[in-house]
Amino acid sequence: MSAASSHTGPEDPGLGSGTLQNVKKVFGMEGASDLVAVKDISFSFSSGEVISLLGPSGCGKTTVLKMIGGLIEATSGEITVSNSLVRGPYENVGMVFQTPTLMPWRSVISNIKFPLEVLGKQLTDIDDKAISLLKLTNLTEFKNAWPHELSGGMQQRAALCRALIHSPEILLMDEPFGALDELTRMEMNDLLLKVNYQEKNTVIFVTHSISEAIYLSDKVHVFSKRPAEIRKTININLPHPRNPTDRYTDYFKQLELDAGEALGVIR
Amino acid sequence: MNGDIIKKIIYPTVGFIITIFLWDRYVVIFDLSEVVLPRPGIIFESILSEYPALLSEGFETLLACVYGFILSIVIGIPMAVLMTDSKPLNLMFYPLLIATQSVPKVAIAPILLVWFGTGIESKLAIAFFISFFPMIVDTATGLRSTPKELLELARSLKCSYFQIFVKIRFPSALPHIFSGAKVAITLAVIGVVIGEFVGGSDGLGSLLMVANSQINAPLAWAALVFLSFLGIFLYVLVVLAENLLIPWNNTYSK
């Protein structure tokens, strides 16, 4: 991607990379025994990679994601992102949730610029960045619309722009396309990859869809039921850029089978 | 579009005319005395002949309603903020707040009259006392129902308490605040009229009392008509303000 010369990835290869070392999370419950959400998780990711955390609902994968983002503190173990220890929220992270969570009182463009506003970043090229993101996600003509005037997929695209506006090194996505219909979801998968090829940031993607995880990722960590442990790590050796027909290759099906077995849905 | 006009204007108008006609026939057929129930036409005549008094008294009532409503906003909203964001304050004063609402408002009117006299102050006090409760409760509900994920987004961007309040919690509470305001404005009118009944020397409420004591039923009914127009007018003003200030709130537009 020589066209994206202004954004050829971080200068320091450590930016956007990270490590989780024996991470454990126990939630103290009032009047009940403590809940072990995450038992012992270790993995690492390098800059620009797309990593999926695949597992059943309620298995603790979202907790892992939030710990990487500094929103939840690990009970024990160490998390390092971009060469520094995670001790709380930090700027270089973009978040996309299951629901778009746009602010209904702000126009699309104003929602997208929100992070810059609160981070107090006065980038000279804010508008350029916003415009290029809108273009990338086909939202240019809706930039002044109210969020409720957009479809679910369009809202989620706007949420993706918002997460990327401050050029974070790492993008955390918590089942972002889980509420969309299958066709929209496949479109969003390709869009996310397109964005990733341009922005070069690391993506940590939580999902419970096997094919989505495989299609998007360089590496899929298959989680057990709660308390979360990594059952299996699957390396995805599909060529970049991905092509929708990849989904129907024998290799892809073999990967799906592997993931299904690791999840315990195929015995 | 045409169907819309028929539904929204023609039908209600026809219903209104039928009601007025039946009312008129009822009075004539059963030969009711004017004191019991005046014919609609007579009330209309009374409005025509007494409109200067109705207008000036109506203006007094209107002012009191607006002031009382503003009071319940400027006091109610900050109180709601304090009670949602401070657990101790909530625990200390929420029960008391509920208790104030179990006191019949009419019963407290004479006491407020002793405290504030027969001027506008006692009317405001009653209007406030009766209308601040929905303001507080709805504002508090709104402040508590900020989407969890928006708060998480704010936290990941390291927003301060103040930023979260101004940029996220307060705007997201606005639809609730307006639904509280719509109840509050209606209650403020009731409060002011109670005040005028009990001890006021001006306003439509006291005009109504005077007309009643003089057995001038048409004038009493005329005052009643003005009061209902006043209530509708104020309610519509709040709805207009809502549409103007939170155009993104599409609960009514669709």
Side-chain angles (χ1 to χ4, degrees):
Chain A
M1 291 287 282
S2 58
S5 58
S6 64
H7 208 287
T8 46
E11 302 75 28
D12 179 348
L15 292 180
S17 68
T19 319
L20 285 81
Q21 193 70 51
N22 302 107
V23 172
K24 183 176 181 180
K25 179 66 199 179
V26 181
F27 288 106
M29 303 299 247
E30 269 177 59
S33 55
D34 290 349
L35 178 85
V36 184
V38 177
K39 202 172 177 183
D40 182 12
I41 298 276
S42 300
F43 66 86
S44 59
F45 44 90
S46 47
S47 185
E49 265 188 324
V50 179
I51 304 287
S52 278
L53 312 182
L54 174 66
S57 296
C59 76
K61 52 195 192 303
T62 297
T63 307
V64 172
L65 190 80
K66 285 180 183 168
M67 286 193 288
I68 297 173
L71 291 172
I72 296 181
E73 206 184 337
T75 309
S76 65
E78 247 179 31
I79 301 175
T80 316
V81 172
S82 300
N83 302 326
S84 50
L85 212 57
V86 173
R87 283 211 186 79
Y90 48 99
E91 270 182 33
N92 278 321
V93 66
M95 299 208 61
V96 182
F97 305 91
Q98 184 167 9
T99 54
T101 54
L102 299 174
M103 297 173 208
W105 56 92
R106 283 170 172 253
S107 67
V108 169
I109 184 83
S110 160
N111 262 291
I112 292 173
K113 287 181 180 174
F114 176 73
L116 295 173
E117 198 180 303
V118 292
L119 289 173
K121 276 197 179 173
Q122 283 306 318
L123 296 178
T124 44
D125 58 349
I126 287 182
D127 289 310
D128 293 348
K129 176 83 184 175
I131 286 165
S132 93
L133 285 171
L134 283 167
K135 203 172 160 193
L136 192 65
T137 53
N138 291 325
L139 286 173
T140 310
E141 57 185 304
F142 298 99
K143 67 173 190 174
N144 294 319
W146 296 113
H148 76 255
E149 293 169 329
L150 307 187
S151 69
M154 287 158 86
Q155 290 187 22
Q156 199 57 294
R157 261 144 56 195
L160 183 62
C161 294
R162 177 180 63 189
L164 293 168
I165 188 74
H166 56 301
S167 304
E169 287 145 12
I170 178 164
L171 185 60
L172 302 178
M173 308 184 80
D174 187 6
E175 292 183 30
F177 311 138
L180 302 175
D181 63 85
E182 189 62 24
L183 291 177
T184 312
R185 186 177 193 152
M186 283 159 79
E187 277 173 30
M188 291 297 286
N189 286 169
D190 285 314
L191 177 70
L192 175 61
L193 288 172
K194 198 168 95 182
V195 167
N196 181 247
Y197 296 146
Q198 180 176 317
E199 299 286 315
K200 309 273 184 216
N201 41 23
T202 309
V203 178
I204 313 278
F205 193 95
V206 164
T207 181
H208 51 232
S209 159
I210 296 175
S211 68
E212 182 174 64
I214 294 171
Y215 188 68
L216 293 175
S217 316
D218 298 303
K219 220 176 260 172
V220 177
H221 296 294
V222 182
F223 278 49
S224 65
K225 289 202 177 106
R226 201 177 61 213
E229 276 182 301
I230 293 179
R231 266 225 189 115
K232 184 171 188 175
T233 296
I234 302 174
N235 288 304
I236 314 292
N237 295 313
L238 290 167
H240 286 290
R242 297 280 203 265
N243 189 317
T245 55
D246 293 346
R247 293 177 189 269
Y248 308 100
T249 58
D250 290 339
Y251 177 60
F252 198 93
K253 281 175 186 153
Q254 183 57 47
L255 291 172
E256 284 185 318
L257 195 64
D258 290 351
E261 274 170 1
L263 282 169
V265 289
I266 301 165
R267 292 193 187 89
Chain B
M1 188 64 201
N2 259 336
D4 248 32
I5 291 176
I6 290 176
K7 265 189 208 151
K8 284 188 174 154
I9 296 172
I10 311 270
Y11 274 101
T13 310
V14 170
F16 180 74
I17 293 170
I18 291 174
T19 309
I20 296 290
F21 177 76
L22 289 178
W23 171 354
D24 190 66
R25 289 300 91 198
Y26 180 79
V27 175
V28 173
I29 290 166
F30 293 95
D31 195 23
L32 294 179
S33 124
E34 189 184 287
V35 178
V36 177
L37 184 66
R39 292 175 64 174
I42 292 176
I43 296 171
F44 188 66
E45 277 169 25
S46 175
I47 289 176
L48 285 184
S49 61
E50 301 290 345
Y51 78 90
L54 285 164
L55 274 182
S56 69
E57 299 304 321
F59 187 66
E60 296 295 325
T61 305
L62 179 86
L63 273 189
C65 292
V66 171
Y67 291 155
F69 174 68
I70 289 174
L71 262 185
S72 79
I73 286 179
V74 298
I75 297 176
I77 291 179
M79 275 176 81
V81 175
L82 288 177
M83 280 212 243
T84 27
D85 286 8
S86 159
K87 188 100 196 194
L89 283 181
N90 187 310
L91 291 172
M92 281 194 279
F93 295 113
Y94 201 70
L96 201 64
L97 185 70
I98 304 288
T100 61
Q101 293 310 298
S102 62
V103 178
K105 307 304 172 309
V106 189
I108 208 162
I111 297 172
L112 292 174
L113 204 69
V114 173
W115 290 354
F116 296 105
T118 54
I120 192 170
E121 293 88 347
S122 62
K123 288 198 262 177
L124 292 189
I126 299 166
F128 166 74
F129 189 72
I130 191 169
S131 68
F132 83 112
F133 188 68
M135 243 11 262
I136 289 193
V137 171
D138 281 323
T139 306
T141 309
L143 289 173
R144 268 195 222 105
S145 55
T146 318
K148 211 180 91 242
E149 291 175 322
L150 266 184
L151 294 176
E152 217 154 53
L153 174 80
R155 222 153 62 75
S156 85
L157 293 166
K158 298 199 280 187
C159 294
S160 62
Y161 170 86
F162 185 71
Q163 279 178 320
I164 292 178
F165 186 83
V166 172
K167 289 183 186 286
I168 296 178
R169 294 179 62 215
F170 189 73
S172 91
L174 274 175
H176 282 99
I177 293 177
F178 268 102
S179 67
K182 282 186 269 188
V183 179
I185 191 71
T186 318
L187 292 178
V189 177
I190 295 176
V192 168
V193 173
I194 292 175
E196 290 171 349
F197 274 3
V198 177
S201 50
D202 49 25
L204 285 173
S206 53
L207 181 70
L208 207 156
M209 292 302 267
V210 170
N212 248 344
S213 67
Q214 294 170 350
I215 325 184
N216 186 348
L219 181 60
W221 279 85
L224 209 59
V225 170
F226 263 64
L227 267 177
S228 30
F229 275 123
L230 186 138
I232 294 168
F233 171 70
L234 288 172
Y235 183 84
V236 167
L237 275 190
V238 175
V239 172
L240 284 180
E242 181 184 28
N243 289 340
L244 205 71
L245 292 174
I246 51 172
W248 45 270
N249 186 32
N250 61 335
T251 32
Y252 294 99
S253 63
K254 281 180 189 149

